[in-house]
Structures are given as C-alpha cells and as structure tokens.
C-alpha cells in the first residue's frame, strides 16, 4: 500500500514538473510580444527586423518539435529534456549578456532549439511513464497550462519590460534551472531506446526544413527565396517515395479530411499570431499605452481563451467540431474586419475585439484537437499529430513575418487587419464539407 502511494505521489510530481516545463515554453514564446516596440526603438531597427525575435523563435520551434519527437525513439526522454533545458538556459544567458540585435536573435534561436522539445517530450513522457488511466488527466492539465501560460506571458513581459527593461526577459527564463533539478528528482529511469529502430531520415528532414526557412525568408526578406522553397519542395516530393522511413509519412497527403483540418490550423495560426505581433505595436503606437497595460489586456485575452476552451470542450459532444469552427471563424473574422474598418476605435472597443479574436482562436484549437485524431488510423495518430503541430508552428512564424513585412511596406494597421480577415475567411472553403470530416473518423 505504501509503495502504491509513493508511486502515485511521484507520478503527481512528475506531471507538475512537466507542466512547469511546458509553462516555460509557452510563456517564453509570447513573452517578447509586448516588448517589440521598445526593442525596435532602442536598437534602431524596423518592424521587419524586430519581427525575427518572434519569427525566428517560432521557426526553430516548428523544426525542433517534430525532430525531438523522432529522436525520442532513439534516446532517453529524460536525457533529451535536460539537454533541451541546458540549451534554453544558454540562449537566455546569451540574450541577456550581449547588447546587439544579432545576439538577441542568436539567443532566441538557441532558446527555441531547446524550448521546442518541452511540449512534445512532455507528452511522450506521459505515454511512457504514467499508467493509462492517469494519462487523460495529465494531458488535460497540459492543455490548461498552455492556455494559462499564453495569458500570463504578455502580462509578465509587460511588467518586466516596464520596470526593469526588456533585456531582463531573457534573465527571467534562467528559472529553467529549477526544471532541471525537478527532472533529476522525479522523472523515472528508463531503458536506452533500441538502436534497431528505422533510420532517421536526415535528407527528408533537411528538405522539409529548407522549405520552411525559405518561405519565411521570402516573406520577410526577399521574394526570390520562394524559388529556393520550390526547389526544396520538389526535392522533398522526389525523395519521399524513395526512402523506407520518410520524415513525413506519405499516406498523410492522401487523407483529404486530415489535410482540410490542418489547413484550418495553419490559417488560424497565421491570423492569430499576426494579431499577437501587431496588436501590441498598435496599442503602444496608436493608443500610447505602456507595455504593462498592453500585457494586462493580452492577459485578459488569455483568460478569455481559457474560458472559451472549457466552454468549447463542453459543447463539442452536442454540436460537433465543424459547427464550432464555423461559428468561431465568423467571430474571428468579424473582430479583424472591425479593427480594419472602424476609424481609430477607442480602447474599450479594441479590448472587446481583442477578446473576441482570442476566444475564437481557443475554440477553433479545441475543435481541431478533437477532430484531427479522428481523421487518422490509430497507427498514424502519432505522426499525424506531429505534422499537424509542425504546420501550426509554421503558421505561428508565417503570421508575424507577413504582418511585419506588410507594415514596413504600408505603415497601415487597418490594411493588415483586413488582410487577416481575408486569411481567416479561407476557413469557409475548408469546412465546406464538415460531414466528410466526420465520415473519415476512426
């Protein structure tokens, strides 16, 4: 009896430790959004350049999240997580210790090369170390942690930037050393993963990452990079049928219901993360708010997103994910349209529209997380979800990159908000046949 209680206690502490690790990843992803205006002014750089603080981070997370998942088939999860946390710490110290823009970008990329492991490896840890009956509860805690951290991040970022300065945002993340100590204490020992697993597809990974990086460079730097992206894409198409263990499963591209849903996820993240990049700049430059007040407004948006997640979860069994996506798309599009057409809305209207878009984002995310696994065969759920998350992170990088480039060219916030409404409008093309999604379910 005592042994069972001890195991249960260690399982609880393991889940709490993983929640802390996930919170670090999410907070750090949004921490700098409210500080971009200050960074741009202090380092004398434009919106397109400063956007790389967000874009570079999201790009590395996209690449790293699926890579760490693959590496977990070969190495101990505990070793990978500790290695990732050390990288995260190193990036934080570099970003704090050096004053140039290049050092800031390098620090963020090194942070992301570690932080990209946190969510994916935490989910794998649940599957490996927890009893089956405890896994749903742990995953629910992860979802709540992500939603809460997304709200806390801008608030903390605004408070630290306002009181100490934006460089201390890097130093704040040194708290990751606590996570290392907790992992040593509470993560169980595991056997070394079998070395007889299928070979790692380095060529496929390189070609896929080449596509991602080239597209982001094309959007943010020079359109000629689109030609390089096409070359990588053709190379990937040629390579996939010729390898026994492709980095991306070929079968996924034949699943129309799955492709529709991950397309919605990509577009949603493009619009929502463009908004998370643009809204703080808009509130600081147009409404002359301090970073702390902006962080407070985004925190309210994050809390509204948490409430929206719970409400959507309760509605799902009754109305279905397709209808929730449709309704939330209308809400998000309405919010962006209003921001684009109302001439200089007052701060109360802006706050309402901001809450509307963030609630819509959470509702769509919950619905997609429910629907996407149902379009996949049980044997394909792992790789399918991995590629779905990869595309989400690409959208998170693409949105700020496109928004910053457009703003640098036009200087017009309203035009970009209207563009975001058009992007979200494309959801209607992808949910036009929600019944087909249900029929593909397994």
């Amino acid at each position: 009896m005592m042994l069972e209680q001890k195991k249960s206690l260690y399982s609880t502490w393991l889940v709490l430790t993983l929640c802390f690790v996930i919170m670090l990843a999410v907070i750090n992803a949004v921490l700098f959004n409210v500080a971009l205006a200050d960074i741009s002014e202090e380092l004398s750089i434009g919106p397109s350049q400063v956007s790389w603080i967000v874009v570079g981070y999201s790009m590395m997370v996209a690449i790293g999240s699926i890579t760490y998942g693959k590496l977990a088939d070969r190495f101990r999860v505990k070793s990978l997580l500790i290695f990732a946390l050390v990288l995260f710490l190193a990036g934080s110290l570099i970003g704090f210790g050096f004053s140039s823009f290049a050092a800031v970008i390098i620090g963020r990329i090194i942070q992301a090369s570690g932080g990209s492991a946190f969510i994916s490896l935490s989910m794998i840890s649940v599957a490996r170390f927890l009893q089956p009956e405890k896994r749903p509860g742990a995953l629910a805690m992860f979802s709540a942690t992500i939603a809460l951290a997304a709200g806390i991040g801008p608030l903390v970022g605004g408070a630290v930037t306002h009181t100490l300065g934006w460089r201390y945002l890097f130093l704040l993340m040194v708290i990751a050393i606590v996570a290392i100590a907790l992992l040593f204490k509470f993560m169980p020992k595991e056997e070394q993963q079998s070395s007889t697993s299928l070979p790692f597809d380095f060529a496929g990974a390189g070609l896929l990452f080449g596509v991602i990086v080239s597209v982001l460079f094309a959007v943010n730097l020079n359109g000629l990079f689109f030609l390089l992206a096409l070359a990588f894409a053709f190379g990937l198409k040629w390579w996939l049928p010729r390898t026994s263990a492709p980095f991306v499963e070929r079968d996924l591209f034949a699943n129309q219901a799955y492709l529709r849903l991950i397309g919605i996820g990509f577009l949603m993240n493009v619009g929502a993360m463009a908004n998370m990049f643009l809204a703080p700049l808009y509130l600081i430059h147009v409404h002359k708010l301090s970073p702390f007040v902006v962080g407070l407004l985004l925190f309210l948006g994050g809390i509204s997103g948490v409430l929206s997640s719970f409400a959507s979860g309760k509605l799902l069994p009754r109305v279905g994910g397709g209808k929730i996506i449709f309704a939330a798309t209308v809400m998000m599009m309405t919010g962006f349209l209003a921001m684009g057409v109302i001439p200089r809305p007052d701060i109360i209207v802006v706050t309402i529209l901001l809450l509307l878009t963030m609630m819509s984002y959470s509702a769509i995310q919950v619905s997609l997380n429910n629907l996407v696994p149902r379009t996949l065969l049980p044997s394909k759920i792992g790789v399918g979800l991995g590629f779905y998350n990869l595309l989400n992170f690409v959208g998170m990088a693409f949105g700020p990159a496109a928004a910053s480039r457009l703003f640098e060219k036009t200087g017009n916030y309203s035009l970009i908000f209207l563009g975001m409404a058009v992007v979200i409008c494309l959801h209607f093309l992808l949910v036009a046949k929600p019944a087909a999604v249900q029929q593909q379910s397994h």
Side-chain angles (χ1 to χ4, degrees):
M1 187 69 176
M2 290 293 291
L3 182 60
E4 288 299 319
Q5 289 178 339
K6 189 174 180 180
K7 284 183 178 179
S8 178
L9 182 62
Y10 265 75
S11 295
T12 300
W13 274 104
L14 174 61
V15 171
L16 292 174
T17 298
L18 295 174
C19 284
F20 178 59
V21 170
I22 288 172
M23 183 168 281
L24 288 176
V26 179
I27 286 177
N28 195 56
V30 298
L31 193 64
F32 283 78
N33 287 36
V34 297
L36 295 179
D38 282 30
I39 297 172
S40 178
E41 182 178 349
E42 184 174 326
L43 299 181
S44 301
I45 53 177
S48 185
Q49 287 176 287
V50 79
S51 72
W52 276 99
I53 294 172
V54 176
V55 173
Y57 190 91
S58 298
M59 179 180 70
M60 284 303 300
V61 169
I63 293 169
S65 59
I66 192 169
T67 303
Y68 277 108
K70 295 278 187 178
L71 291 174
D73 292 333
R74 296 167 170 270
F75 302 99
R76 295 183 179 95
V77 176
K78 183 176 182 178
S79 300
L80 288 172
L81 263 176
I82 290 171
F83 172 75
L85 282 161
V86 170
L87 280 178
F88 188 78
L89 280 167
S92 301
L93 292 172
I94 289 171
F96 177 73
F98 298 91
S99 58
S100 69
F101 177 63
V104 171
I105 296 299
I106 291 170
R108 286 290 281 171
I109 288 176
I110 295 174
Q111 275 188 330
S113 66
S116 59
F118 295 173
I119 295 177
S120 59
L121 292 185
S122 292
M123 291 183 172
I124 290 172
S125 298
V126 167
R128 286 195 185 167
F129 302 129
L130 264 61
Q131 296 173 348
E133 65 272 14
K134 292 188 176 182
R135 292 170 192 167
L139 294 175
M141 286 186 67
F142 288 176
S143 297
T145 299
I146 290 170
L148 183 61
I152 291 174
L155 180 62
V156 173
V160 171
T161 302
H162 185 68
T163 56
L164 299 173
W166 60 266
R167 295 183 193 281
Y168 283 85
L169 298 176
F170 280 108
L171 189 62
L172 182 67
M173 288 296 101
V174 174
I175 196 174
I177 198 168
V178 175
I180 295 177
L182 290 171
L183 286 172
F184 273 115
K185 175 71 175 176
F186 296 112
M187 181 165 276
K189 294 180 180 179
E190 60 182 312
E191 296 296 325
Q192 177 70 44
Q193 297 302 301
S194 172
S195 60
T196 60
S197 57
L198 291 171
F200 189 89
D201 182 15
F202 287 101
L207 289 167
L208 178 62
F209 300 158
V211 173
I212 294 170
V213 174
S214 299
V215 167
L216 292 175
F217 280 177
V219 171
N220 203 263
L221 297 177
N222 190 311
L224 292 176
F225 278 100
F226 275 122
L227 297 177
L228 185 60
L230 282 174
F232 279 122
F234 279 118
L236 183 64
K237 184 179 180 181
W238 176 86
W239 172 254
L240 287 180
R242 291 167 172 78
T243 180
S244 58
F247 192 74
V248 180
E249 291 280 343
R250 295 183 292 268
D251 295 350
L252 296 177
F253 297 105
N255 187 334
Q256 292 299 311
Y258 170 79
L259 292 178
R260 282 174 177 268
L261 290 175
I262 67 171
I264 291 170
F266 172 76
L267 293 173
M268 173 193 66
N269 279 292
V270 169
M273 294 304 114
N275 185 42
M276 288 294 288
F277 169 79
L278 201 65
L281 296 177
Y282 172 80
L283 291 168
I284 290 170
H285 290 151
V286 176
H287 288 276
K288 308 303 179 185
L289 301 181
S290 71
F292 175 72
V293 176
V294 173
L296 182 60
L297 292 179
L298 293 178
F299 172 72
L300 293 176
I303 295 301
S304 72
V306 174
L307 298 176
S308 176
S309 297
F310 287 129
S312 301
K314 288 184 176 296
L315 283 173
L316 267 173
R318 285 184 284 171
V319 302
K323 291 181 179 178
I324 291 177
I325 290 173
F326 190 92
T329 295
V330 172
M331 288 171 57
M332 185 178 283
M333 191 175 65
T334 300
F336 289 148
L337 276 173
M339 287 293 294
V341 300
I342 299 175
R344 197 184 172 101
D346 63 39
I347 193 61
I348 294 177
V349 173
V350 172
T351 301
I352 292 171
L353 295 176
L354 185 65
L355 296 180
L356 190 68
T357 56
M358 295 182 79
M359 289 171 67
S360 305
Y361 175 79
S362 296
I364 296 171
Q365 192 75 63
V366 169
S367 300
L368 289 177
N369 289 345
N370 176 266
L371 286 174
V372 169
R374 294 168 56 194
T375 66
L376 299 164
L377 293 168
S379 60
K380 301 294 182 182
I381 286 178
V383 292
L385 290 179
F387 189 67
Y388 163 60
N389 287 322
L390 169 69
L391 206 60
N392 281 344
F393 286 123
V394 173
M396 291 178 185
F398 188 90
S404 65
R405 188 70 165 173
L406 284 171
F407 184 75
E408 199 166 70
K409 294 291 185 183
T410 67
N412 191 321
Y413 287 105
S414 297
L415 184 64
I416 303 172
F417 281 120
L418 289 174
M420 288 150 60
V422 172
V423 168
I424 298 303
C425 183
L426 296 176
H427 283 189
F428 294 122
L429 300 177
L430 296 172
V431 296
K433 297 179 181 178
V437 173
Q438 302 297 335
Q439 290 166 6
Q440 291 286 332
S441 301
H442 293 277

